Amino acid sequence: MRDEMEKALKGHDADYIEMRIEESQATRISYRGKELEDIGRTAATGGNVRALVKGGWGFVSFNSLDNLREKVELAISEARIVGAETSQLAPVEPVVDIVPPDFKMDPATVPLADKKNILDQYNDIIWSTPQVQTSNIGYGDNRKKVMFASSIGSYIEQSRCDVTLRLTVVARADSDVQQYGFSIGSNGDYSVVENSHDKVKEAAQKAVQMVTAPNVKGGEYTVVLDPILAGVFCHEAFGHLSESDFVYENPQMKEIMQMGRRFGSPILNIADGAAIPGLRGSFKYDDEGVRSTRSDLIREGVLVGRLHSRETAGKMGEKATGNARAIDYRFPPIVRMTNTIIEPGDTSFEDMIADIQEGVYAKNWYGGMTSMEMFTFSAGEAYMIRNGKIAEQLRPVVLSGNVFTTLANIDAIGNDLGMNQGGGCGKGGQSPLPVSNGSPHIRINKCLVGGR
Amino acid sequence: MTIEQILERAKKVAQEAEVFYSDYHDTPVGFEANRLKNVQSREGIGVALRIIKNGRIGFAATTRLDQAEELVAAAVEIAQFGAEAKFTMPSSPGNPRPVEVYDSSVEAIPIQRMVTLGQAMIDILLQHTPEIQCECSINKRIGSLRLINSAGLDVSYRRSSFSVSIEGTFIRDTDMLFVGDRAASCRLDFDVETIARNTVEQLEMAREIVPAAVGDVPVLFTPRAVLSSLLSPLIIALNGRNVLQRSSPLATRHGEQVAAKEFTLWDDPSRPYVPGSRQWDDEGVPTQKRTLIGNGVLNGFLYDLQTAGLAGTISTGNASRSPASLPGPSMSVAIIDHGSRSKDDLIKSIGDGIVVDELIGAGQGNVLGGDFGGNLLLGYRIQNGKITGRVKNTMVAGNVYQVLKDAQLSKETEWVGGFLSAPYILCPRVSTSSNE
């Protein structure tokens, strides 16, 4: 394949061309209630060409790998329609690297019967819990080999293997339906889905408890987030704002995102990077062939870095950070997060809640979303905090904030750290992209909680 | 190998078999920061094989017609573990009325024309607000679909679509305002300038920032907000799979009043040139126009073949599938009937309330239970019957079954994204909270 790719890229008149070819195999199993709903296997082969001419991009994606040269020519002709400026890409060194797969426990080596057996065990646990109405279990693995060649002379082969398990238990009283769930995942380690029996039991019990829990009254509260939800908070509240494609051509955003701007108190440190090993957002090269890094985004409360593709870095006169990612061959790479972390501080959980008269302890996650300035993130589980103690359980809550005030309202950062490996990120029609988020417990003052 | 050959091969090893073929060719043109940024061509195909072997369902999918043997082998392997089949594959395509979803002129729209349309929309926004930063996307898609099965069914059709979307970002200091609109049809039968003008109207209404009305207040949902906040939980609750599991709050309420009398929700796949319309569903079952909620009374659910078999009923022609997945029940085209009062009358009737146009995170939380809630990305305050400015940093939360009980609907309806036609919906008491 390498020869054909390199041959197709030779001898064109364009500022930059790259080609990505992928082969993938995926397995999925899902249960709805007691019944197995879906089990299937899918295979895909496809590729794309992206060309840059005078600052304009052309992009062609396809399944058939015939006539690659024609596809390159089509991408260049598209780019010519657009190009009217100067192409600016941050310089990177050409790389030739065949990265061997490094999977702790490759799901391809696990028989389908074993995978189904684990899910059957989880389903038995759920159904042995009284008052459960139903449940959803979704398992998936996707093993993918990606070949990348570019006109600067790079050729890279990499593999990744995304493993995910999502489980939701539904409890019901009359027409009132409540649910509790969790999701876990890994890059190339099937064993993470094998040992969740205790977690499944806990999920079933919590779903049942939730039916009798009250709703929170909407308003401002001091909120303590557990590491899982704090990771989602970090991703939504600040992570997306650090993606430079929102910034690089927007003069007002550039002003807002000036290096040195204070976003939080000196206890706040945030970083992102695919070079942090062993996580779901980890890789060696991004989808533009740029070596992964670890970028400090906020140091002691102050903006010190951002995430780049080659183009956003080139136009802002900064270095490429290896954050250009595409979910698959059908899409061009765009600036994305990888593994995003709030670094641990020194406050114990007990101290964090000790002086809260009335607050909310929010745990686990349903989801999150941002518009850059304002964002929401939702907890899967919540409790009132009263007089320094965890009190009654609540129905799940949706929390909301504004990046310019909420980050500054973080006044305590825990001495623990938890990673959420079960998330997927969506942007620009590309979803779900494997990412991880991590954080210690954090405390936020005056956080807006929706209620009814 | 052809798909007929795949079916032949599958028939030799299974009692029943079905091959679902789909392809698409997208040509998107994208603008960023007010200027043309990219032109793309995206092509793809998918072949999915579903079999019933020894009473169980096997499934496999691929993008490669040259790997037909592997495809059949994978489906057979899967069938050992597959769900028990509760249906037989349909043999007759029935005699459904034709539904127009293809217009050959879409394919012929030149890229240059698409560029001109995009630039025209951006120019309208720039003329109004010179500092605005626009992203705009214009896409034409030609797709085809064919379904053949061992019972002799062979249905196929082509679909064209043309869609545009524009989003403007207007930043003052650290205040960010996002405005935008979109449209989609099977042909270019809409005016892009109208879309740009709708966006300009949003800019006008959002000019001033005012404090929110908080507490339990009247909330007017625009058609766009009806889709994300109110309709999404209903669609999940109407899905036959959730009804079967009784995880739907509507599961036991057939024939009961679940919304205001004025509220009628249809699934209508027969609307010509609407992107969700279709003559057959993705299992080859003829589609039908059905009332799901009629005058507030729950009237029916959405079923595909397998779910209907499990529930002891018949398919409603609502099977949908992506190229690589098994079918599942889904709505085709949602129509909410108009109400009796004009939108202006509804606004005038509000002493102090909020218009919700877009919530961030509306689909988070316990959507299955009917909850909606989120941060107001685009919304306005109504005071003494007039829109007085933009409201932000505000949460809106509620439960669709509670707020629809006494909902009032506008006379005017609008299309949202080629999937929903809905009026403005006024709910007298919805919980809001704010930082201000």
Side-chain angles (χ1 to χ4, degrees):
Chain A
M1 203 71 235
R2 178 177 175 183
D3 282 356
E4 290 163 56
M5 290 170 74
E6 287 177 340
K7 227 163 80 189
L9 288 175
K10 277 209 177 87
H12 300 281
D13 185 18
D15 298 331
Y16 172 75
I17 323 167
E18 69 187 18
M19 181 183 290
R20 227 164 66 229
I21 293 192
E22 294 179 9
E23 290 165 4
S24 69
Q25 292 87 35
T27 304
R28 60 163 191 274
I29 308 172
S30 70
Y31 281 78
R32 190 178 300 250
K34 289 180 181 164
E35 305 294 328
L36 182 131
E37 180 171 273
D38 184 8
I39 178 164
R41 203 163 260 182
T42 56
T45 302
N48 66 63
V49 177
R50 194 167 66 129
L52 179 66
V53 177
K54 292 184 180 164
W57 289 102
F59 177 83
V60 176
S61 68
F62 44 83
N63 289 122
S64 161
L65 305 184
D66 301 335
N67 305 320
L68 291 178
R69 195 170 182 86
E70 279 174 25
K71 282 151 186 158
V72 173
E73 283 160 1
L74 176 59
I76 293 170
S77 71
E78 290 171 345
R80 282 217 180 92
I81 298 174
V82 183
E85 297 168 13
T86 327
S87 298
Q88 280 175 282
L89 295 180
V92 292
E93 288 299 311
V95 179
V96 175
D97 195 356
I98 313 290
V99 185
D102 178 22
F103 303 145
K104 249 190 200 157
M105 184 174 179
D106 187 347
T109 65
V110 181
L112 198 54
D114 291 4
K115 292 175 185 169
K116 182 170 174 287
N117 183 31
I118 281 287
L119 302 189
D120 284 337
Q121 290 174 24
Y122 293 163
N123 225 8
D124 288 346
I125 294 171
I126 293 168
W127 287 96
S128 65
T129 310
Q131 296 172 52
V132 163
Q133 177 64 39
T134 187
S135 62
N136 293 311
I137 305 178
Y139 164 84
D141 58 58
N142 187 341
R143 195 179 201 280
K144 177 160 95 170
K145 181 180 169 190
V146 184
M147 290 152 276
F148 172 90
S150 78
S151 58
I152 64 166
S154 286
Y155 180 81
I156 299 165
E157 282 183 19
Q158 296 184 97
S159 295
R160 69 168 297 129
C161 177
D162 200 44
V163 182
T164 52
L165 174 70
R166 291 170 210 285
L167 184 143
T168 310
V169 183
V170 180
R172 177 185 174 126
D174 299 322
S175 63
D176 197 352
V177 173
Q178 291 293 318
Q179 50 185 323
Y180 185 89
F182 65 84
S183 55
I184 49 180
S186 76
N187 181 8
D189 186 5
Y190 174 76
S191 71
V192 299
V193 306
E194 278 186 320
N195 301 307
S196 296
H197 299 75
D198 292 343
K199 252 183 127 163
V200 174
K201 189 167 186 179
E202 193 192 334
Q205 288 164 348
K206 285 191 168 157
V208 171
Q209 287 163 17
M210 244 172 232
V211 179
T212 53
N215 281 306
V216 71
K217 189 173 174 298
E220 279 185 350
Y221 291 89
T222 300
V223 170
V224 174
L225 308 181
D226 83 329
I228 299 293
L229 186 60
V232 174
F233 163 80
C234 172
H235 178 103
E236 300 300 347
F238 184 75
H240 280 295
L241 197 63
S242 69
E243 294 167 344
S244 299
D245 50 346
F246 294 117
V247 180
Y248 79 119
E249 293 186 310
N250 188 325
Q252 289 98 347
M253 279 297 281
K254 274 189 192 163
E255 210 159 287
I256 288 171
M257 295 304 285
Q258 288 266 352
M259 291 299 154
R261 184 186 184 106
R262 179 162 289 284
F263 275 90
S265 79
I267 56 171
L268 184 65
N269 295 292
I270 300 178
D272 177 279
I276 304 168
L279 299 171
R280 240 177 113 221
S282 307
F283 49 78
K284 191 167 178 185
Y285 302 96
D286 76 359
D287 288 318
E288 293 183 320
V290 177
R291 183 73 195 242
S292 61
T293 59
R294 179 190 181 282
S295 309
D296 284 329
L297 303 175
I298 287 188
R299 272 291 104 191
E300 298 181 351
V302 167
L303 184 68
V304 295
R306 53 178 134 245
L307 308 178
H308 279 304
S309 64
R310 287 189 65 194
E311 184 178 36
T312 64
K315 290 214 167 148
M316 295 184 80
E318 296 175 2
K319 273 191 185 156
T321 57
N323 284 82
R325 305 178 66 189
I327 55 162
D328 61 38
Y329 64 89
R330 296 172 300 159
F331 298 94
I334 53 177
V335 183
R336 301 301 289 260
M337 282 174 264
T338 57
N339 307 301
T340 315
I341 290 175
I342 296 181
E343 292 175 5
D346 52 17
T347 308
S348 72
F349 178 66
E350 289 72 25
D351 287 350
M352 202 178 277
I353 63 169
D355 56 355
I356 301 176
Q357 292 303 308
E358 190 190 55
V360 173
Y361 179 39
K363 294 179 73 174
N364 210 330
W365 67 284
Y366 267 133
M369 212 168 165
T370 184
S371 75
M372 304 298 119
E373 183 196 2
M374 294 183 289
F375 55 87
T376 67
F377 55 108
S378 55
E381 186 182 352
Y383 301 85
M384 286 304 294
I385 302 170
R386 295 188 192 280
N387 304 316
K389 300 235 158 53
I390 302 296
E392 75 271 18
Q393 187 174 13
L394 300 166
R395 296 276 171 92
V397 294
V398 181
L399 306 112
S400 167
N402 182 308
V403 66
F404 301 109
T405 52
T406 310
L407 284 182
N409 286 339
I410 297 175
D411 70 348
I413 293 192
N415 55 9
D416 48 353
L417 176 70
M419 293 302 299
N420 170 16
Q421 304 263 36
C425 172
K427 175 179 171 184
Q430 300 194 45
S431 176
L433 185 79
V435 294
S436 76
N437 313 305
S439 175
H441 276 89
I442 63 171
R443 184 172 70 192
I444 308 172
N445 274 314
K446 293 186 187 168
C447 185
L448 192 56
V449 179
R452 56 187 167 87
Chain B
M1 198 175 280
T2 65
I3 64 167
E4 286 86 353
Q5 287 167 321
I6 295 172
L7 182 65
E8 282 313 310
R9 229 169 240 263
K11 270 159 71 174
K12 285 189 188 126
V13 293
Q15 285 76 49
E16 293 192 58
E18 163 204 78
V19 182
F20 180 79
Y21 168 91
S22 61
D23 64 32
Y24 67 90
H25 185 182
D26 279 341
T27 310
V29 168
F31 289 79
E32 284 173 24
N34 300 334
R35 63 200 198 282
L36 185 61
K37 185 71 186 179
N38 58 67
V39 172
Q40 307 187 5
S41 160
R42 299 185 190 171
E43 278 186 277
I45 70 154
V47 183
L49 172 66
R50 180 166 64 159
I51 59 169
I52 300 176
K53 185 175 169 69
N54 302 328
R56 294 189 174 275
I57 299 170
F59 180 83
T62 183
T63 60
R64 294 181 60 162
L65 278 166
D66 63 339
Q67 291 189 344
E69 275 171 50
E70 289 88 337
L71 183 72
V72 176
V76 168
E77 188 205 347
I78 293 287
Q80 298 171 63
F81 309 101
E84 204 181 317
K86 295 287 186 186
F87 66 99
T88 54
M89 291 180 185
S91 57
S92 156
N95 193 20
R97 296 228 327 250
V99 179
E100 298 296 339
V101 290
Y102 179 75
D103 186 323
S104 60
S105 69
V106 171
E107 204 159 359
I109 298 171
I111 286 174
Q112 208 41 252
R113 172 100 197 277
M114 296 164 71
V115 172
T116 309
L117 292 173
Q119 196 61 57
M121 287 196 285
I122 291 172
D123 287 346
I124 290 171
L125 266 70
L126 279 174
Q127 212 171 22
H128 181 269
T129 303
E131 306 87 352
I132 203 166
Q133 293 270 321
C134 297
E135 276 191 32
C136 173
S137 158
I138 296 141
N139 185 31
K140 62 172 180 176
R141 163 175 284 215
I142 306 296
S144 76
L145 178 158
R146 186 166 171 218
L147 181 83
I148 56 175
N149 71 26
S150 52
L153 187 80
D154 185 347
V155 299
S156 60
Y157 61 90
R158 276 155 80 79
R159 179 190 295 283
S160 55
S161 76
F162 194 83
S163 56
V164 304
S165 71
I166 185 155
E167 185 181 81
T169 310
F170 180 42
I171 301 177
R172 286 170 295 192
D173 190 17
T174 61
D175 169 49
M176 300 182 196
L177 170 64
F178 297 90
V179 292
D181 197 15
R182 59 179 63 232
S185 169
C186 295
R187 54 185 182 179
L188 179 46
D189 55 3
F190 50 84
D191 178 18
V192 298
E193 287 193 7
T194 311
I195 296 158
R197 304 242 174 260
N198 291 343
T199 311
V200 166
E201 200 184 323
Q202 294 169 348
L203 283 168
E204 279 293 319
M205 291 190 292
R207 195 181 278 266
E208 302 284 327
I209 295 174
V210 296
V214 294
D216 285 336
V217 303
V219 169
L220 183 70
F221 293 86
T222 66
R224 188 155 81 132
V226 168
L227 177 60
S228 61
S229 300
L230 305 181
L231 188 63
S232 299
L234 285 178
I235 291 177
I236 292 170
L238 292 166
N239 186 318
R241 285 178 170 173
N242 296 324
V243 174
L244 183 66
Q245 294 295 328
R246 299 206 163 201
S247 58
S248 162
L250 297 179
T252 54
R253 303 195 60 195
H254 196 280
E256 289 179 27
Q257 196 80 33
V258 296
K261 279 214 167 91
E262 215 178 18
F263 187 88
T264 292
L265 170 66
W266 299 86
D267 183 31
D268 185 1
S270 69
R271 300 265 170 150
Y273 299 106
V274 172
S277 284
R278 50 197 186 155
Q279 201 167 344
W280 296 279
D281 75 357
D282 290 349
E283 293 180 310
V285 175
T287 59
Q288 44 182 319
K289 180 181 174 182
R290 293 171 67 226
T291 355
L292 300 167
I293 297 173
N295 300 320
V297 176
L298 178 62
N299 195 48
F301 300 114
L302 308 167
Y303 290 103
D304 60 4
L305 288 169
Q306 171 75 356
T307 312
L310 287 164
T313 180
I314 55 165
S315 168
T316 52
N318 281 98
S320 287
R321 64 209 289 184
S322 70
S325 71
L326 276 171
S330 143
M331 254 181 127
S332 301
V333 177
I335 308 283
I336 299 173
D337 279 349
H338 67 82
S340 55
R341 299 172 71 184
S342 75
K343 169 189 154 192
D344 286 344
D345 270 358
L346 290 178
I347 292 173
K348 276 185 199 144
S349 74
I350 298 172
D352 193 8
I354 282 178
V355 180
V356 175
D357 195 13
E358 191 160 351
L359 290 178
I360 324 171
Q364 295 166 13
N366 182 20
V367 186
L368 183 62
D371 290 355
F372 63 88
N375 188 330
L376 199 52
L377 179 62
L378 188 59
Y380 317 98
R381 175 99 178 248
I382 299 174
Q383 287 167 294
N384 301 319
K386 280 203 182 76
I387 289 177
T388 52
R390 180 186 178 208
V391 166
K392 59 185 284 197
N393 295 321
T394 298
M395 295 281 287
V396 177
N399 183 283
V400 66
Y401 303 106
Q402 284 167 20
V403 304
L404 279 183
K405 267 184 205 159
D406 40 13
Q408 300 170 43
L409 282 60
S410 76
K411 241 191 284 194
E412 302 87 346
T413 60
E414 289 171 15
W415 278 99
V416 188
F419 167 72
L420 166 71
S421 166
Y424 290 73
I425 298 185
L426 171 60
C427 301
R429 285 170 62 85
V430 179
S431 165
T432 64
S433 40
S434 179
N435 278 118
E436 258 81 34

